[in-house]
Each structure stands twice: as C-alpha cells, then as structure tokens.
Amino acid sequence: MNPQAKFVSTISLLLGTSITISSNHWVMAWAGLEINTLAILPLISKSHHPRAIEASTKYFLVQATASTLLLFSSMTNAWFSGQWDITQLTHPMACTLLTTAISIKLGLVPFHFWFPEVLQGSTLSTCLLLATIMKFPPTTLFYLTSPSLNPTLLSLMAVASVALGGWMGLNQTQVRKILAFSSIAHLGWMTIILIYNPNLTLITFYLYTMTTSAIFFTLNVTNTLKLSTMMTAWTKIPSLASVFMLTLLSLTGLPPLTGFLPKWLIIMELTKQELTMMATIITLLSLLGLFFYLRLAYCATITLPPNFTNYMKQWQTNKLVNLLTTTFTTLSIMLLPLSPMILTIP
C-alpha cells in the first residue's frame, strides 16, 4: 500500500474517532463514524485478495446500514423532542433504533454475522484496528445514552453475545475468527453492565483493548494465522510463546492476571443490583470461552510440530513492534494489584 495513502487513512481514522467521542450533536457524531468507515476500507482491501475485497464490501454495507439507522434514530428523537443533543435521547422508538444501530456497528448478537468474516479477510494489523479502535466511538455513544436505553433488551443481547461468542469459537481453526468471537463475547460483558455502571463498561473496554492488542502484536511477530502454524511459535521464540500463554489466560479472565479485574467487578456490580441469576448465567457461559483460550495456549506452548526441523531463532525484528508487544503484554498480565488506581480512570 502507498505510504501516503496509508498515512492519510490512519490520520482520518484518528480524526473520525476524535470527532465522534468529543461531539454533543448527533450529526457530528454521525459524521465522525462515516469518516471512520471510509478510512478503514482501504486498510481492509489493501492486499487486493478476493477475500479482502469481499470483507471490505461486507464492512461497507453493514456500516452504511448502521449509520442510516443511527441518523434515522436521531432525526426521530429531534422530531418529537426538538433536541439534537446526544444525552437527550428520550423517545422510545429512537432509543430502540439507536440500540440496533450501535449493536450492528459493534457486532453484538444478533447482528454479529459480518464481524468474523471481515476479520478473516483482513491482515493482522487491520484486525487489531477493527477489534479495538473501531469499537471505541460506538461504545462512547452507548456510554452517553446509557440512561435512556432499554435494560431488558441490552441484557438479552449481552447474554446471547457471551453465549454465542463462546459457542461459535469452539470449533474454529483460524486464529482471527477465534479472536472475532472472543471480541463478541467480551462485548456481551461490556453491554450487560452498561445500564447499571457505565464507567465499568469503559474500564472493561480499556483492559480488553490492551490485552487484545498484546495478542495481535504477538501473532504479528510470529506470523501466525492458523492453529497449525501456531505450533511452530515455541521453536522460534520460546520466551514470547510463554508470555503469549499468560496473555491468553488474562483475556480469559483467570486470576491473578489483569483480565480477571473487569469480570470480577462486573459480577460484583450485578450482585449489588440483585441480578445474581444474570451474574451466574454470564459467568457459566464464559467457561465456553475458557476452553478455546486454553486450546490456543496449548497449541502455542505445549504442542510441538510433528517434524524435528531446526527453526532459526528470530533474534532481530522490528524494534517498535517489540516495544509495543512488550509494553502491552506486561500491562495485560500484571495490572491486577493496581486495581484501586484503575477504578479511578473514568
């Protein structure tokens, strides 16, 4: 891809995200989302592979539909209340349309079908953007409008997302699809607590972004796209493979790693809201995700390739990628003792 075009797309991506998260007017938020969509399309289709072109087409159609629904929702609310302010969403139909639009953009169940396919057709660096930065503006809109949303609808979508994200990830052999269903499951955790404690949704999103970034950086260094090629990671970079296992377990939510913090806080908050049954269901459903995370960790660290070919150790790679990988991996493993400070972030 042309470096100038890549630079323009990256700057436009940051600009669109900044416009959406800092706007108070619906039209400005919609414009930022549109800039984001147009900026990421060249990055998805840059390999010129038929699967990449298919992924960019699917992404464009889905995001255009979601943006249309979001604009229609804001116009409906303005028609009945005379308000274009994001926090003044009062009409029930506008709230339902907004929930649908943001769910489509995020990939929540039952609007999740596009997300694994788009990630499978993209490069690892673009997958990182789609799974983290591209979800920040819609999550911000959910955060701003959380007092107006329907708690029953959001809870049903959240439980369905956790269940389907864990269930569909069980039989996958492509790492990108596994991480796509992992993202859907984590979005369920963020959504279920949105009504009761929106700040906790942001904390969960921050920690999920950090851990997922560490995993994608590690996959990029080892050039891993399938479970079968993940078996060679140990023979290439043993130390990175060991830390990669801890990062996967952190994404699972096992103590004493960083990923345990958001799930622990969400379960505590649901229990305070007298939603013990909901907390129990979502905790049991997360065991489905635990299985395929453990399978990834098993393939990366315990399983060796069937032949005894001597692989050359990768002792010199991109220094910036090494720095980012080290930083995000360390944070995604060792932040649990700092949880009192993390709680003050929002």
Side-chain angles (χ1 to χ4, degrees):
M1 186 178 183
N2 191 340
Q4 286 80 12
K6 191 173 184 179
F7 176 75
V8 170
S9 296
T10 307
I11 294 298
S12 301
L13 199 62
L14 296 175
L15 177 64
T17 302
S18 302
I19 289 175
T20 301
I21 65 177
S22 61
S23 59
N24 293 319
H25 198 282
W26 276 115
V27 175
M28 287 296 293
W30 171 81
L33 292 173
E34 288 299 298
I35 293 173
N36 258 0
T37 301
L38 296 176
I40 197 70
L41 287 175
L43 298 177
I44 298 175
S45 59
K46 65 182 179 181
S47 63
H48 302 295
H49 190 274
R51 189 178 288 274
I53 303 301
E54 178 189 350
S56 59
T57 306
K58 287 180 179 178
Y59 186 80
F60 173 74
L61 293 175
V62 169
Q63 297 299 314
T65 304
S67 296
T68 305
L69 283 175
L70 187 141
L71 196 58
F72 184 53
S73 165
S74 59
M75 290 174 64
T76 304
N77 188 69
W79 180 271
F80 284 101
S81 66
Q83 290 286 341
W84 284 96
D85 196 305
I86 292 178
T87 57
Q88 301 298 321
L89 195 69
T90 54
H91 196 266
M93 182 185 292
C95 295
T96 305
L97 286 172
L98 177 78
T99 305
T100 304
I102 300 299
S103 300
I104 292 174
K105 281 194 168 291
L106 288 174
L108 279 170
V109 175
F111 310 107
H112 65 282
F113 299 101
W114 63 273
F115 190 57
E117 298 300 325
V118 171
L119 252 65
Q120 181 61 29
S122 307
T123 61
L124 285 172
S125 55
T126 309
C127 288
L128 173 60
L129 295 176
L130 288 170
T132 55
I133 295 177
M134 295 301 293
K135 293 187 182 297
F136 189 39
T139 305
T140 306
L141 293 180
F142 253 170
Y143 176 83
L144 293 174
T145 57
S146 57
S148 308
L149 302 179
N150 186 347
T152 305
L153 178 62
L154 283 179
S155 297
L156 288 175
M157 294 173 70
V159 172
S161 297
V162 176
L164 188 132
W167 189 262
M168 294 296 290
L170 292 178
N171 62 343
Q172 301 295 330
T173 58
Q174 299 288 333
V175 176
R176 285 170 291 184
K177 279 196 174 182
I178 291 177
L179 291 175
F181 288 114
S182 162
S183 177
I184 293 171
H186 278 85
L187 283 171
W189 281 87
M190 298 175 209
T191 307
I192 200 168
I193 204 64
L194 180 67
I195 299 291
Y196 310 105
N197 192 343
N199 291 340
L200 198 47
T201 298
L202 284 187
I203 291 176
T204 307
F205 180 79
Y206 296 152
L207 296 179
Y208 161 76
T209 299
M210 187 173 56
T211 310
T212 304
S213 300
I215 288 177
F216 273 112
F217 283 133
T218 305
L219 294 175
N220 203 16
V221 169
T222 57
N223 195 21
T224 302
L225 297 177
K226 297 185 293 185
L227 288 181
S228 57
T229 57
M230 187 176 283
M231 298 176 187
T232 63
W234 179 264
T235 55
K236 290 180 182 178
I237 314 177
S239 56
L240 185 60
S242 301
V243 178
F244 181 61
M245 179 187 69
L246 293 177
T247 311
L248 286 170
L249 295 180
S250 177
L251 195 62
T252 308
L254 291 181
L257 304 170
T258 305
F260 174 66
L261 174 61
K263 294 186 177 181
W264 173 44
L265 294 175
I266 288 172
I267 292 171
M268 284 178 55
E269 186 64 30
L270 289 175
T271 308
K272 287 179 186 176
Q273 300 292 336
E274 298 183 355
L275 296 170
T276 310
M277 182 59 68
M278 191 74 70
T280 305
I281 291 173
I282 200 170
T283 305
L284 292 176
L285 288 175
S286 67
L287 295 177
L288 293 171
L290 174 63
F291 175 81
F292 63 76
Y293 288 126
L294 287 176
R295 187 172 65 157
L296 282 173
Y298 177 81
C299 289
T301 57
I302 300 176
T303 306
L304 292 177
N307 51 25
F308 295 95
T309 305
N310 291 323
Y311 291 93
M312 185 177 292
K313 298 291 190 295
Q314 293 184 4
W315 61 274
Q316 187 174 8
T317 52
N318 191 317
K319 292 183 179 179
L320 177 60
V321 173
N322 284 349
L323 178 62
L324 291 173
T325 306
T326 305
T327 304
F328 281 106
T329 302
T330 305
L331 291 175
S332 61
I333 292 174
M334 304 180 65
L335 272 187
L336 188 63
L338 300 178
S339 52
M341 184 179 71
I342 295 174
L343 293 178
T344 63
I345 288 177

